[in-house]
Amino acid sequence: MTLRAGAAAVDISPTGPVALFGYPHVERISTGIHDPLLASALFLTNGSYSSVLIALDLLMLEPPVARAIRRAVASRIAAPEEAVFVSCTHTHSGPVTSRLLAWQGDPTIPTPDAGYLQWVTDRAVLAAADARAAAIPAELAWCTADATGVGGNRLDPQGAIDREAGILVVRPAEGGPPLAVAVVYGMHPTVLHEDSTLVSSDFPHFTRLELRERFGPSLTVLFHTAPCGNQSPRYFVSGQTFAEAERLGRRLGQAVAKGIETLAARDFQSKCSLRGALHAVELPRRSMPPVDEAEGLLRRCRDQYEHLRAEGTEPARVRTAECAVFGAEGTLALARLQAQGEIARTLAHYMPTDVQVLQIGSASLVGLPGECFTEYSLEIKRRWPGRVFVVSLVNGDLQGYIVTQEAAAQGGYEATTALFSPSAGNTMVATALGLLEAVRDRADS
C-alpha cells in the first residue's frame, strides 16, 4: 500500500506565569511567551504498520511520564508501542517537568506540576490523533545537512562534535512542498540563560521559522535533539540573547533547507518499510563520594571559578567553571541523598530504562534516554552500516548525563552530577545496535 502521512502541532505553552526550568539558584518566573511551546507529531502508515514521531518543547520528562505518553498515544492511534517515538527538544525556557536530585534543596526550583504534565500528555495524544486524521497519500526521503557553526563541544572546543543534521522530508504523493520535516541535530538549546524570563523553545523556534518561511506556513517541523551532553553554543555566541538564538537557529534552518533542496524526485519513495523495536535495559549506577570528599570538591571548584573571574578570563571558560561549581554542588547533594537512601528509591522508578529503534524507509532512528555525550551517537553511526540518526531524551531522562570515561576522569559539571557510570553509555550503544539488527532482519524476512 502507498504510504500515508499526516502531521500536526498543538500548543503546550503554560497558561500563566511558571518557574522556568534549566538553571539552578535563580528564581526565574516567566513574564510572557516569546514563542509557543509545541507538541509536534508526524504519523506514518504503510497499511500494515503505523508509527508516529512526537517532539515536545520541554527540558525533559521522568520515565514514568514519558512511558505514559507513549502508551496513551499508542492506544489512541492503534499503533504498536515500540512505534511511538517521543522525545524532548530540551529547551531551558519551559516549565518544570522533572525532579532532579542534584538540585534537591534549591528553593528556586519547585516540584513539577502534575496537572500540567497530565495536560501535556493529553495534548501529545491530541497531536498524534490530529496527525493521523490528516494523513494523505505521501512519499518520503532522507537527507543530511552540515550544521557547522551552529554549536560545538562546550567542554573542549577541539573535542568531539557531530556536525551532521539528519533530515526526514515527507510530502504529498503528487509532489509539491513538504508537509512535514523532522530534523535531528545535537546541540543544547541554551542560547538563552537564566536572565531570560520568556517562555521559548530557544534556537529551534527560529529553525522552524526559517523552514516555514521557505516551504510554507502549514509545514510541521519536528525538532529531535541528538545526544548533546557535551555540546552547546557556548563558544559560538556573542551573548545570551534572542538575536543570537535567531542567528544560530536560522543558520541551521538554512542548512536544512539546502539539504532538502538537493533532493530529486527519485530520492522520494511512496512504498517503504516501517518497523519499531523497544528494549528495557538496566544501567550501572555510579557511586557517589563520601560527603566530606564532596565538600572538598566544591571548595576547589569555587576557588577555580573565582580565580578565573578575577583574571578576566574569556566568558565561555568562566561559564564552564561556573557550571563546574553547579556540578560540585550537585555532587554534595547527591552524596547526602545517597547516605539517606533517596537515590535508590528514586532510581527504582527509572530502571529498567528503554532504548528504542524505529526504521523509516532507508534510514533508522535510535532513541536513547537521558543526556548522552555525543561520542555515543558517533559510535552508533560508526558501527552501523546503514543510515542512522540518534535522538536523546527519548522515553525519559536519567537524572543527569551519560558521560565518557575520559570526561569522568576529568570531572566537571556533567560528570560530577551523573548518577550512572560511563559504561552505561556502552550498554545503550550495544543495545541500540542489537535492535537495529533485529529490525533489519525482520524487514528482510
Side-chain angles (χ1 to χ4, degrees):
M1 179 179 173
T2 300
L3 178 75
R4 292 179 63 84
V10 301
D11 197 326
I12 56 171
S13 305
T15 56
V18 296
L20 298 181
F21 191 27
Y23 302 104
H25 305 323
V26 177
E27 189 174 20
R28 190 170 166 235
I29 305 301
S30 63
T31 56
I33 296 175
H34 176 273
D35 53 276
L37 305 182
L38 300 176
S40 305
L42 171 62
F43 173 80
L44 301 167
T45 184
N46 60 9
S48 60
Y49 197 90
S50 298
S51 63
V52 64
L53 306 179
I54 297 177
L56 303 172
D57 284 332
L58 300 172
L59 184 75
M60 60 181 66
L61 292 170
E62 293 180 14
V65 176
R67 198 171 297 122
I69 292 174
R70 190 180 72 211
R71 290 173 177 170
V73 169
S75 175
R76 178 67 178 271
I77 68 170
E81 191 178 335
E82 71 270 12
V84 178
F85 195 92
V86 183
S87 72
C88 292
T89 61
H90 204 49
T91 177
H92 286 50
S93 294
V96 177
T97 51
S98 182
R99 184 177 69 100
L100 290 177
L101 290 179
W103 291 358
Q104 190 134 315
D106 186 335
T108 68
I109 302 174
T111 57
D113 181 343
Y116 176 74
L117 291 173
Q118 181 58 56
W119 185 68
V120 166
T121 300
D122 296 340
R123 298 291 282 174
V125 172
L126 175 63
D130 285 351
R132 185 183 66 171
I136 60 172
E139 56 187 14
L140 61 80
W142 286 94
C143 61
T144 62
D146 183 350
T148 297
V150 179
N153 195 302
R154 68 184 184 184
L155 301 180
D156 177 4
Q158 306 305 315
I161 180 175
D162 186 355
R163 296 180 175 86
E164 181 182 65
I167 309 164
L168 171 62
V169 185
V170 181
R171 70 181 188 181
E174 66 270 17
L179 62 91
V181 171
V183 178
V184 181
Y185 175 62
M187 184 179 79
H188 259 78
T190 51
V191 177
L192 305 175
H193 275 187
E194 56 267 33
D195 58 339
S196 177
T197 58
L198 294 178
V199 169
S200 175
S201 59
D202 207 287
F203 78 87
H205 162 66
F206 295 102
T207 299
R208 289 192 289 242
L209 191 61
E210 178 73 24
L211 293 173
R212 287 176 185 146
E213 289 174 357
R214 285 173 174 255
F215 299 110
S218 62
L219 176 69
T220 298
V221 181
L222 294 85
F223 191 92
H224 296 289
T225 299
C228 61
N230 53 349
Q231 309 292 304
S232 87
R234 184 170 298 168
Y235 289 94
F236 292 79
V237 293
S238 59
Q240 317 307 142
T241 65
F242 279 103
E244 283 294 88
E246 179 168 12
R247 182 178 66 82
L248 294 185
R250 285 188 179 275
R251 180 167 184 156
L252 176 60
Q254 290 158 8
V256 170
K258 182 178 179 180
I260 294 172
E261 288 164 353
T262 64
L263 291 170
R266 65 179 178 275
D267 297 315
F268 286 85
Q269 53 184 144
S270 59
K271 297 183 183 298
C272 62
S273 59
L274 297 172
R275 302 245 177 215
L278 189 68
H279 187 72
V281 293
E282 292 281 347
L283 300 179
R285 274 182 49 187
R286 166 182 169 242
S287 180
M288 297 300 132
V291 171
D292 59 347
E293 186 177 321
E295 289 172 337
L297 173 65
L298 179 55
R299 286 192 297 271
R300 293 192 298 275
C301 288
R302 282 175 173 165
D303 289 344
Q304 174 69 1
Y305 169 58
E306 293 300 337
H307 174 71
L308 292 176
R309 284 187 65 193
E311 282 195 332
T313 305
E314 63 175 306
R317 286 187 60 203
V318 172
R319 182 63 174 184
T320 298
E322 183 180 22
C323 288
V325 173
F326 296 159
E329 291 170 341
T331 297
L332 180 55
L334 294 172
R336 289 168 174 162
L337 291 170
Q338 178 174 263
Q340 299 164 10
E342 180 61 25
I343 291 179
R345 286 190 290 270
T346 297
L347 292 189
H349 300 287
Y350 277 66
M351 291 293 108
T353 190
D354 297 319
V355 175
Q356 191 169 3
V357 163
L358 186 60
Q359 181 185 351
I360 303 174
S362 61
S364 296
L365 293 173
V366 167
L368 301 181
E371 293 186 71
C372 298
F373 272 31
T374 196
E375 284 89 339
Y376 294 112
S377 175
L378 291 170
E379 180 71 1
I380 291 172
K381 289 182 176 184
R382 184 185 69 80
R383 293 172 61 181
W384 184 245
R387 176 173 273 182
V388 62
F389 304 102
V390 186
V391 183
S392 65
L393 291 166
V394 178
N395 300 316
D397 72 272
L398 290 175
Q399 282 287 325
Y401 297 86
I402 303 298
V403 306
T404 61
Q405 194 65 54
E406 293 77 12
Q410 292 169 5
Y413 168 66
E414 295 84 1
T416 55
T417 56
L419 284 189
F420 294 93
S421 76
S423 61
N426 299 326
T427 298
M428 288 195 285
V429 167
T431 301
L433 291 169
L435 291 177
L436 286 166
E437 290 179 0
V439 166
R440 180 186 61 187
D441 291 345
R442 289 210 310 270
D444 292 343
S445 62

